Amino acid sequence: MGEDPLTASLVGSREIGFTIVSMTLSLAAVFIPVLFMGGVLGRLFPEFSVTICVAILISGVVSVTADAMLCSLFLKKPHNTPRRRSSVRSPSAAFDNMLKSTTARCRSC
């Protein structure tokens, strides 16, 4: 949309922030009951539950904060003339050439 990289990353982070927070909390809430399980399994899995919950919460915090800032560092300022990357240009050129050759053959039939 023509914004500078920092503004674009902040706008994008605001747009998906609620979704990331809700997914992080719901995933962490799934593993909390494992912490309070009784019996033999309850003795085996508390460390697993705490580890998974902490990893999910840290991942959510990183997703909301650091990812947006890293994205603003890697984005380039938009140019006025849109250019295709070579990875997009090559297949497009190949398909255009195939189309031209098949249409030329069909006209001669």
Side-chain angles (χ1 to χ4, degrees):
M1 298 182 136
E3 298 173 341
D4 64 304
L6 182 62
T7 306
S9 64
L10 288 174
V11 168
S13 181
R14 272 189 226 122
E15 287 178 4
I16 64 168
F18 177 74
T19 305
I20 291 173
V21 169
S22 64
M23 287 175 56
T24 300
L25 293 178
S26 63
L27 276 173
V30 167
F31 288 100
I32 289 175
V34 176
L35 182 64
F36 299 111
M37 278 185 3
V40 176
L41 290 177
R43 292 182 191 163
L44 293 174
F45 288 135
E47 293 86 6
F48 170 74
S49 175
V50 170
T51 303
I52 294 294
C53 283
V54 168
I56 289 171
L57 292 174
I58 290 173
S59 171
V61 169
V62 168
S63 295
V64 171
T65 57
D67 285 348
M69 293 303 107
L70 287 173
C71 184
S72 72
L73 290 176
F74 292 125
L75 284 176
K76 295 187 177 14
K77 291 189 177 188
H79 300 289
N80 291 338
T81 58
R83 290 180 19 205
R84 285 183 158 177
R85 295 182 302 194
S86 61
S87 60
V88 175
R89 222 175 325 164
S90 299
S92 293
F95 287 126
D96 289 341
N97 290 337
M98 277 194 320
L99 184 61
K100 287 177 187 175
S101 65
T102 51
T103 13
R105 270 190 252 148
C106 290
R107 287 185 186 158
S108 64
C109 294

